[in-house]
Every structure is written in structure tokens, then in C-alpha cells.
Amino acid sequence: MSDDVWRRIDTSRPHPARVYDLLLGGKDHYEVDRAAAAAACRAHPRGYLDVRHNRDFLRRAVTSLARDEGLDQFLDIGSGLPTQENVHQIAQRFVPSARVVYADNDPIVLAHARALLTSSPEGRTAYVEGDLRAADALLEQASATLDLDRPVVLVLAAVLHFVEDADAHGVVKRLTDALPSGSRVVLSHLCHDLNPERILPVARTMRERGMTFVLRDRAGVERFFDANGLVVEEPGIVPVHRWRPDGAAPVPEQPAPELLASMEPVDRLRYADINDVTDEDISVYGAVGRKP
């Protein structure tokens, strides 16, 4: 990692991409991120199911759009640190020539993405450092890889709850306005009307650590689609574990029992089986919208 990247990494405050990475079992985070994740887990011990099922929703959505509809261009904003089954790996499995652009605003994500996000020989994968709120600049960078005159899948997975209303609706409008007919928007969002007694304490712990954290309700999520003329595809706006479930959520390989027992609670989460999920566990809506 270059000296410039190190200088630009803010280790005084938790970053959503690094906290998310930790909860998915990654190792690219700092003590401040670890403290935020641990606090969230104390507030909601099964909250890791939101994170893991959000990721599995993304897997199913990209699979459906690439395999079943042949879509071959993806723009994943707020992509976070590379993990297992990234968008390009899923899409290029079904459409080897697919082009994927990842965008995030954390320099540590930039460093890891450029090193690890390797495209198939037929396709292209790129990473741009950009802020969701600077939509025009982000689109300009993405256009070096994507043809914005052809349908694009815009992925906004678990990112809009880090953006205040004053910015969130404007940037989604700018992004969707730039996409041609036939494009899709894959969107997921933490919400306060699904199991509020579980998610509200988590939101409070994140805000206490300086992170913007905006929980919306189903109507608030629906507004992102309706206000931009997007047609929500079946099964609609639903808790993420109920969006076209396929029973294929991966079960991590388990370490030796004594090793698992010696781990801190937050570190054990990467080995948890998420297939025991219930409606009472999930506070994330997911949906896919089509631009007519």
C-alpha cells in the first residue's frame, strides 16, 4: 500500500466499509472499526444476519440479472472491501464479457480493490475512488469502462442509510437519470419499521461513534423507486432474506471447536450459519427496480 494511501486513511473514526468487512469476516479494519462492530453486536447480538443476508441478497440479485436477463454492465457504488463473491465474480460467471465498476470513498478500499478485483479475460473490472454524493464525477469516471448508452445495473446495497435525506434523494435521481431505458437499480436499506427494538440501539451506537446513520421505513425506500420512475420487480420491496430465496446461502467452513471458543464474539460471526434466519432477525429491505 502506497504512502499516499496510508496518509489518507482516517483511523480516528470507524468507516462503514471497514465495519461491514469485519462483520463479513474480513481482516482489513482498525481498532476503531472493531469497537464499533463490537458495540453493534452487543446492542443486537443477531445483527450480523442483516449484514450477511444483505450480501446474499446481492448475490441473488446479480445472479438473476446476469444469468436470466443477460445484463452485462454493473456499477456498484459503496462497494466496500473485496470479499467472497464480488459482483464481477457473480456476473462474469454467467456473462464472461460483463463489465463492472466498483466505487467507494475509502482509500483502503481503493488499495485492496485494485489488487484483488481481477476480471475475466473477456470482461473488464475497474475501481474508481468517488463519493456517492458527487454523482456527476463518479459517472464520468465510470464511463471509461461502462457504455452509459446501454443498460446498466446500478447497485446501491446498504449504502443509502449512510446518507442524509438532503443528499440521498438528489444523488439517486442524478444517477438514475443518467441511465438508459432497461437499466436496473439494486437497492437495499436498513429500516426502522422492521424490528425497531433491535435495530434502533444499533443505529444509536453507530451515531455515537460519529457515523451518519439514517434509518428509513418501507415508504422511504419506496420513494427512491417511485420518485425516479422505476418499476419495482417481483417480489417487490421485501426483507432481504425473502427476495427470491434460493436456499444457497453459503455455510462457512468451521474451525476446530477449541479455536472457535477462544475467539472474541465479533470474530466468531464469520463462521455463523445464516440459514436459521427468522423475520424477527432482519431489518433490511431489498428490491430491484427497472427503468422503463
Side-chain angles (χ1 to χ4, degrees), residues 25-261:
K27 300 178 181 178
D28 298 301
H29 52 266
Y30 295 92
E31 188 57 39
V32 66
D33 307 305
R34 187 177 182 84
C41 290
R42 287 193 297 271
H44 182 9
R46 285 174 68 80
Y48 67 92
L49 289 165
D50 277 331
V51 174
R52 297 270 298 279
H53 274 281
N54 176 74
R55 191 75 192 180
D56 202 54
F57 158 72
L58 178 62
R59 174 187 65 81
R60 300 191 309 276
V62 172
T63 295
S64 175
L65 294 170
R67 181 191 64 195
D68 302 337
E69 305 200 35
L71 291 170
D72 63 354
Q73 298 196 108
F74 296 79
L75 174 56
D76 184 359
I77 300 179
S79 57
L81 284 152
T83 183
Q84 294 299 313
E85 290 288 275
N86 299 287
V87 169
H88 75 283
Q89 294 167 312
I90 302 166
Q92 291 176 353
R93 181 181 307 136
F94 304 106
V95 185
S97 60
R99 296 184 172 204
V100 179
V101 173
Y102 297 95
D104 207 289
N105 65 351
D106 185 4
I108 196 172
V109 177
L110 170 66
H112 285 273
R114 286 181 172 167
L116 299 175
L117 299 179
T118 304
S119 174
S120 68
E122 303 93 331
R124 288 185 64 185
T125 301
Y127 178 86
V128 299
E129 187 176 9
D131 194 305
L132 171 65
R133 291 162 293 192
D136 290 331
L138 198 154
L139 286 165
E140 182 177 358
Q141 291 185 80
S143 68
T145 301
L146 305 178
D147 179 357
L148 299 183
D149 292 325
R150 295 198 303 109
V152 174
V153 178
L154 171 64
V155 178
L156 297 170
V159 65
L160 290 171
H161 47 250
F162 298 116
V163 185
E164 299 284 1
D165 276 339
D167 293 319
H169 294 284
V171 297
V172 174
K173 177 174 175 52
R174 176 66 192 95
L175 291 165
T176 54
D177 281 353
L179 302 181
S181 174
S183 293
R184 304 297 201 280
V185 175
V186 176
L187 189 152
S188 61
H189 199 298
L190 273 167
C191 294
H192 60 70
D193 58 339
L194 290 172
N195 307 304
E197 71 285 354
R198 300 192 182 211
I199 194 60
L200 291 177
V202 175
R204 184 169 59 250
T205 65
M206 295 296 104
R207 294 186 190 113
E208 287 171 351
R209 284 160 175 78
M211 294 170 63
T212 299
F213 215 78
V214 183
L215 298 178
R216 298 179 173 95
D217 58 11
R218 189 186 184 284
V221 173
E222 189 173 29
R223 180 182 167 192
F224 287 116
F225 294 94
D226 289 352
N228 296 295
L230 301 172
V231 178
V232 178
E233 300 189 331
E234 292 296 331
I237 300 171
V238 296
V240 284
H241 67 303
R242 293 195 171 277
W243 195 93
R244 303 185 189 180
D246 61 6
V251 178
E253 184 176 349
Q254 299 298 297
E258 58 273 18
L259 177 59
L260 189 65

Side-chain angles (χ1 to χ4, degrees), residues 267-279:
D267 295 315
R268 295 178 199 153
L269 300 182
R270 74 185 68 178
Y271 301 108
D273 181 355
I274 66 172
N275 291 290
D276 65 344
V277 65
T278 69
D279 289 347

